[in-house]
Amino acid sequence: MLNALSSAPPAPTFSPSPAPATPPISAQPATPAAQTVVPVPDCDVIVFGGTGDLAIRKLLPALWHRDREGQLPESARIIAVSRSDASDAAYRDQVAAAVDPAGDQTTFARFLSRLRHITLDATGDVQRDPGWAALGDLLRGREDHVRVFYLATAPQLFGQVSRGLRTAGLVTPASRVVLEKPIGWDLASARAINDEVGEVFSEQQIFRIDHYLGKETVQNLLVLRFANMLLEPLWNNSWIDHVQITAAETVGTGARSGYYDASGALRDMVQNHLLQLLCLVAMEPPNRLDRDAVRDEKLKVLQALRPMDSGDVARCTVRGQYRAGAVDGEPVPGYCTELGQPSDTESFVALKAEVQNWRWAGVPFYLRTGKRLHKRTTEIVVQFKPVPHSLFPDQAGAVTANRLVIHLQPNESVRLLMMTKEPGPGGLRLRPAPLNLSFADTFGTRFPDAYERLLMDVVRGNPTLFMRRDEVEAAWEWTEPILSAWQAGGEQPRPYHAGTPGPTAAIALIERDGRTWHEDHEEEPSL
């Protein structure tokens, strides 16, 4: 059984509601059931780039929450590796200032005692840098423990760090290596990185992480599709009109401006996050939930994406870059101002993709992502086809097609937009309203962060929610022609003001097909 799914909270138990009124679905919270926390094996988690933004902001808080829940064994240690000349005590102070102990000072003190710091330059000579020897001394005698080498570094260093670990004699049969996205910046570099890491670690030891796949709602997408007879028979081109996948951010590039300018929105978000979400929406039912069956089906989707030539790129993609504007009422600078120099890197992408197989022929997938937009949201919208004929009079109102909205963040929920009669006398009035499954309201419990779940899966050796090498390279094979066409065309990104939904060309992209982007304000209160 898939660990990530089997560890989800059990289904709520609903009590019969007193007649005659029935409260809305979203107003029926279940009593939280006790969750069984299964400790992971003895382990050492070694984070290269341990003082960086990702480690301090995401990885250390995730490990703290797992420790607080009793999932880390007593012997577990967390070893930060960086070029910073910090002692163990100084590093613990840095983490203590950044991680919220949630009032549990006793357990937090235990967590801090697990932390170590090693000063090491991963780009230097393994034989000359004393940090490698210090790391070896720290790990000596614990060869039977699981070793998780988390490479929270630039992808250019993945191969070099892996070779350093081999030269220093630190790779054991129970070792795993975690690679942060992006894996390379094009197909050739992705293959080179995979080759370099693959010289040291077997494919079964390599965990290419995409934190979107650890989100509770993303995993629940598999359950919604394959555990409910209501949806799966309709999950095809006979009943679905189109699919939208949106990942919108209100923040700018911030401290990541240097990295982001060398990457851009297509590499940073579309090639990995959005294509992975597309795969989960479009994949065929696997014959079982295990490490390769799910990934086999995702790979088939990537291979079925219709390739884009230069003409397709001109018609079916939009790239943009934000200018100065206001987000949440606060003025913010433009992209180039934040970067400190002119740039033609895109901070926004919208595109139309097609999956060429029997299930999805003729169903467009609209993807968009951007920074400094008017709201923060990540969502999947499955738009069903309209009814073939409305028997209701015009004055009753328009009949809106059903729509399934899966919110990944900030508030995890699933909503199915249905047509209903507006209560009251005076004639028939139609109104769309959603059946609303709010995870917070229904289950009434804290959900583990995506990194919490994925880090524990690494320790267990469960790669189901991680990308396989062929997945990564198939995604690059589809994405790279878009990058090449943009570069050959020389067209500058279309400007949009911060705090808006993006370039007007992105609106035209979908409206040319007689469709429109989903916005939350379109929906009425829950049934």
Side-chain angles (χ1 to χ4, degrees):
M1 178 60 71
L2 176 63
N3 285 333
L5 294 177
S6 62
S7 61
T13 301
F14 293 97
S15 300
S17 301
T22 300
I25 291 176
S26 59
Q28 298 183 38
T31 301
Q35 299 184 48
T36 302
V37 176
V38 180
V40 295
D42 291 331
C43 59
D44 288 315
V45 180
I46 302 99
V47 182
F48 283 80
T51 58
D53 179 71
L54 173 65
I56 298 298
R57 190 168 54 89
K58 290 292 187 180
L59 303 183
L60 271 300
L63 291 167
W64 150 238
H65 282 298
R66 290 300 87 210
D67 192 16
R68 187 179 178 220
E69 294 294 326
Q71 201 157 18
L72 295 184
E74 289 186 11
S75 66
R77 297 183 306 180
I78 302 159
I79 303 169
V81 178
S82 76
R83 289 182 294 182
S84 172
D85 186 18
S87 64
D88 290 348
Y91 184 68
R92 289 167 182 159
D93 289 342
Q94 181 183 1
V95 173
V99 177
D100 181 7
D104 191 349
Q105 296 294 340
T106 301
T107 309
F108 191 60
R110 181 188 68 191
F111 173 73
L112 292 177
S113 71
R114 299 182 187 274
L115 304 182
R116 306 286 190 277
H117 181 268
I118 296 292
T119 301
L120 187 156
D121 184 355
T123 65
D125 189 321
V126 176
Q127 304 298 336
R128 295 182 179 180
D129 192 320
W132 288 104
L135 181 58
D137 290 342
L138 199 56
L139 295 176
R140 187 172 295 113
R142 295 167 66 93
E143 286 76 14
D144 58 333
H145 287 44
V146 172
R147 291 181 180 176
V148 175
F149 297 107
Y150 199 115
L151 308 191
T153 66
Q156 297 93 316
L157 297 179
F158 290 170
Q160 191 165 356
V161 173
S162 297
R163 289 191 297 272
L165 292 169
R166 179 181 58 191
T167 302
L170 303 181
V171 180
T172 63
S175 293
R176 302 90 155 85
V177 63
V178 183
L179 308 183
E180 264 289 342
K181 64 90 181 171
I183 309 296
W185 46 96
D186 55 19
L187 179 58
S189 61
R191 284 175 172 162
I193 289 171
N194 281 326
D195 286 343
E196 291 177 347
V197 177
E199 291 176 359
V200 179
F201 297 93
S202 68
E203 181 63 27
Q204 289 71 31
Q205 292 177 299
I206 302 173
F207 290 73
R208 301 171 186 86
I209 193 168
D210 184 336
H211 70 272
Y212 270 45
L213 298 185
K215 291 181 179 295
E216 200 72 44
T217 321
V218 173
Q219 296 170 72
N220 205 34
L221 178 57
L222 297 178
V223 178
L224 285 172
R225 287 192 56 190
F226 305 134
N228 294 287
M229 194 61 183
L230 173 68
L231 289 177
E232 187 57 24
L234 308 181
W235 211 260
N236 55 61
N237 55 8
S238 296
W239 302 99
I240 291 177
D241 179 78
H242 72 279
V243 177
Q244 300 178 25
I245 302 176
T246 297
E249 299 178 272
T250 56
V251 299
T253 57
R256 300 173 69 236
S257 59
Y259 153 77
Y260 193 91
D261 195 58
S263 174
L266 190 74
R267 290 185 176 96
D268 187 54
M269 291 293 293
V270 176
Q271 185 272 338
N272 38 73
H273 295 329
L274 297 196
L275 286 187
Q276 285 291 310
L277 296 181
L278 186 154
C279 286
L280 291 177
V281 172
M283 64 185 277
E284 294 297 320
N287 59 354
R288 60 191 181 281
L289 284 176
D290 71 9
R291 61 183 60 196
D292 281 322
V294 172
R295 299 195 289 182
D296 287 343
E297 297 302 334
K298 289 196 296 174
L299 177 63
K300 292 176 185 177
V301 175
L302 292 170
Q303 293 171 335
L305 287 172
R306 186 174 71 84
M308 288 196 188
D309 59 25
S310 57
D312 295 322
V313 172
R315 289 188 301 271
C316 299
T317 72
V318 174
R319 58 198 297 255
Q321 187 187 93
Y322 62 85
R323 302 292 189 261
V327 177
D328 296 331
E330 296 294 328
V332 295
Y335 177 89
C336 293
T337 302
E338 285 188 331
L339 181 64
Q341 63 185 34
S343 172
D344 61 358
T345 297
E346 78 281 356
S347 62
F348 177 96
V349 172
L351 58 85
K352 175 183 174 182
E354 297 178 33
V355 179
Q356 294 183 312
N357 60 23
W358 277 41
R359 181 186 287 263
W360 296 110
V363 177
F365 286 74
Y366 298 98
L367 281 58
R368 63 173 172 169
T369 183
K371 291 188 174 295
R372 291 294 191 203
L373 299 180
H374 63 306
K375 64 178 179 179
R376 174 179 175 260
T377 186
T378 302
E379 64 184 16
I380 301 168
V381 179
V382 179
Q383 177 73 58
F384 292 91
K385 291 184 177 180
V387 295
H389 169 70
S390 175
L391 56 87
F392 302 100
D394 292 342
Q395 58 267 30
V399 176
T400 304
N402 301 129
R403 179 181 295 169
L404 181 68
V405 182
I406 303 168
H407 270 287
L408 280 65
Q409 62 182 20
N411 300 313
E412 295 181 310
S413 65
V414 179
R415 293 181 290 172
L416 179 61
L417 191 68
M418 307 284 288
M419 291 304 301
T420 182
K421 174 189 176 295
E422 188 173 321
L428 186 68
R429 295 185 300 276
L430 304 180
R431 190 182 77 181
L435 299 171
N436 187 9
L437 170 61
S438 166
F439 280 35
D441 292 343
T442 301
F443 295 104
T445 186
R446 175 190 174 272
F447 300 112
D449 176 80
Y451 278 103
E452 295 178 46
R453 183 179 305 280
L454 294 175
L455 282 166
M456 296 301 97
D457 275 358
V458 174
V459 178
R460 294 189 186 100
N462 179 9
T464 307
L465 297 176
F466 296 81
M467 293 179 289
R468 207 165 54 193
R469 172 175 180 156
D470 49 8
E471 282 186 78
V472 173
E473 294 180 5
W476 274 120
E477 285 177 356
W478 186 78
T479 307
E480 192 171 52
I482 301 175
L483 291 166
S484 299
W486 285 348
Q487 185 175 12
E491 182 179 347
Q492 295 295 305
R494 298 173 184 268
Y496 64 95
H497 289 292
T500 67
T504 55
I507 300 173
L509 171 70
I510 192 170
E511 292 192 347
R512 282 198 301 266
D513 297 337
R515 302 177 175 99
T516 187
W517 292 110
H518 168 79
E519 298 292 347
D520 283 340
H521 61 72
E522 298 172 6
E523 298 186 3
E524 300 291 337
S526 302
L527 290 172

